[in-house]
Amino acid sequence: MSGKYITDYREDLRLIKTTPQRIVLVVGVLATIAIPFILQIDWDPPFDYPWRAWGTALNLALAWAIGAAAFNLLLGYTGQISIAHAAFLIVGSMTGAILGQGAFGLGWSLWVILPIAAVVGAVIGVLVGLPALRVRGLYLFMATLAVHFGAILLFRKYQLATTKFNAITYPAPSIPSWLHWLPFINPDEAGEFLIKGDFRWFWVIMPITSLCIIYMVNVLRTREGRAFVAVRDNDVAAALLGINVARTKLRAFAASSAMVTVSGVLLAYFITARSDESWSIEIILDVAIMTVVGGFSTIRGGVLGAFFFFMAPLWLEWIRGWGFIDSVDWIKKNGANIDVMIFGLAIIVVLVFKPEGLAGLWADIKRYFKQWPFKY
């Protein structure tokens, strides 16, 4: 590199290209390491701030960030209108239950289940993507809607066959004994180190989420990733350019479905229980909120949208507890509905004033500081 001009293809392919980016990365890594320790501090913040709730919200946001980014990979980058997202969360939950160490599982470790779940999700994703080769738009929407309800039916039958009307439970996984030498790993009396609590789960979910996000980012930087965008913009023109449209669509379904299935496994084990009531159609709406508010057609948007979705309710609930607001009976009775209204308002504001979402806002902030002090 010479100054800020790139003169080497290898430099152009790097994810981290400049010194300021490296500094931001180092600071971000240090902050990420510090966050779980800070949340472990036993103190009562002023104004009854919900300090202890942030650990759970953080882990949920990280696990959902995989699914939201994968949804953007399929819909935002490839233009395939699929709502089979919840179906692959179900696939992940069932894979974890069938292969896991529960009462009716095969007793396999979570660390073995995760890569198997990705493969299972990719294979089923290819099958689900077959209608995309013949239909598009609303027709594809309806076809994948049928997949959603079909997955719920399979889960319900599995639940009835194993636990009757009780939820399927997922026992806490453990760290393999050959990793007990790592810092902060202190086995219990039985010689196991079970992953329980927000602090321990953070160190499991964060690395897995980081690897999945890096994988999706790098997929988009390859020839196939550029083919995704070409198919989204105009599949006829993409075919004329020599792109195998059918193969590209199926690969997009496979990559997205594999990531969502991994997210489903993590969520099942973190929440510890799943039932047929866990898979309402509202899950699709939740993912849509994450995608729109976070930023359409960006992996970063899926991640930011997931954090917004799980962090914003904590702030809203905290604000509703303020003295002059808490005294209003209508607000006290309709707190959950008010949250939904605010989420809907946020979507409208984003669509009207900032269609790029939080990812676009973050890009504007970086652009401002990059041009400062010449930015007016």
Side-chain angles (χ1 to χ4, degrees):
M1 289 184 61
S2 176
K4 63 179 180 180
Y5 298 101
I6 297 174
T7 59
D8 190 337
Y9 284 116
R10 289 173 297 181
E11 292 288 343
D12 189 41
L13 290 174
R14 288 183 178 177
L15 288 175
I16 309 299
K17 302 177 182 177
T18 64
T19 299
Q21 288 177 336
R22 296 186 184 98
I23 295 174
V24 170
L25 177 63
V26 171
V27 172
V29 170
L30 294 177
T32 300
I33 295 174
I35 285 174
F37 292 98
I38 294 174
L39 294 177
Q40 285 289 105
I41 298 176
D42 186 15
W43 72 295
D44 294 324
F47 307 108
D48 295 326
Y49 191 79
W51 181 258
R52 300 185 183 279
W54 281 100
T56 301
L58 178 62
N59 286 327
L60 287 173
L62 287 170
W64 269 99
I66 302 173
F71 186 74
N72 243 341
L73 179 68
L74 182 63
L75 179 59
Y77 282 96
T78 319
Q80 303 304 299
I81 307 178
S82 169
I83 60 170
H85 208 72
F88 290 100
L89 293 176
I90 297 174
V91 170
S93 298
M94 289 186 63
T95 303
I98 294 172
L99 302 180
Q101 298 178 349
F104 301 94
L106 298 179
W108 293 6
S109 170
L110 174 64
W111 319 113
V112 178
I113 294 173
L114 285 171
I116 293 177
V119 174
V120 171
V123 172
I124 298 178
V126 171
L127 298 177
V128 172
L130 290 177
L133 305 182
R134 300 298 300 271
V135 298
R136 66 180 69 180
L138 182 60
Y139 300 101
L140 182 58
F141 176 93
M142 297 303 296
T144 53
L145 180 63
V147 173
H148 170 78
F149 288 109
I152 293 178
L153 178 61
L154 290 176
F155 187 90
R156 184 177 293 119
K157 287 185 175 296
Y158 176 75
Q159 179 182 344
L160 290 174
T162 54
T163 63
K164 302 303 180 184
F165 296 100
N166 297 319
I168 298 173
T169 57
Y170 300 82
S174 61
I175 296 294
S177 59
W178 54 274
L179 290 177
H180 287 179
W181 58 271
L182 292 173
F184 305 106
I185 293 183
N186 300 312
D188 57 21
E189 295 179 356
E192 291 185 327
F193 185 85
L194 298 179
I195 303 172
K196 291 183 176 180
D198 295 327
F199 181 83
R200 293 185 180 182
W201 266 111
F202 175 86
W203 300 107
V204 173
I205 298 177
M206 169 57 78
I208 294 174
T209 298
S210 300
L211 290 175
C212 291
I213 297 300
I214 292 173
Y215 164 75
M216 285 185 276
V217 170
N218 278 291
V219 164
L220 294 172
R221 288 155 47 85
T222 63
R223 181 182 183 278
E224 290 299 329
R226 293 190 291 271
F228 290 170
V229 178
V231 170
R232 178 197 65 188
D233 293 341
N234 192 316
D235 55 357
V236 176
L240 293 175
L241 290 173
I243 295 174
N244 189 323
V245 175
R247 184 177 62 188
T248 299
K249 289 182 178 180
L250 293 180
R251 284 184 174 178
F253 270 95
S256 175
S257 302
M259 294 296 98
V260 179
T261 306
V262 170
S263 176
V265 175
L266 288 176
L267 287 169
Y269 275 88
F270 177 67
I271 298 173
T272 71
R274 286 299 201 184
S275 69
D276 57 338
E277 297 179 355
S278 304
W279 314 113
S280 66
I281 196 66
E282 293 180 1
I283 293 178
I284 305 300
L285 301 178
D286 294 343
V287 177
I289 292 174
M290 299 178 198
T291 303
V292 173
V293 175
F296 204 58
S297 298
T298 60
I299 299 299
R300 183 186 295 113
V303 177
L304 294 176
F307 275 85
F308 169 84
F309 185 84
F310 286 99
M311 301 301 182
L314 293 179
W315 277 320
L316 295 175
E317 184 178 0
W318 176 57
I319 292 173
R320 289 200 309 268
W322 292 357
F324 66 94
I325 298 179
D326 189 54
S327 61
V328 180
D329 291 337
W330 182 82
I331 295 179
K332 292 175 64 176
K333 294 179 181 178
N334 300 279
N337 294 328
I338 293 174
D339 290 350
V340 174
M341 292 171 56
I342 293 176
F343 272 63
L345 180 63
I347 293 176
I348 294 174
V349 170
V350 167
L351 292 175
V352 174
F353 298 102
K354 195 64 179 177
E356 301 86 359
L358 296 176
L361 181 61
W362 174 246
D364 289 344
I365 294 174
K366 292 195 300 181
R367 192 179 303 114
Y368 175 86
F369 283 102
K370 184 178 180 180
Q371 297 176 353
W372 187 86
F374 305 104
K375 181 70 175 179
Y376 295 97

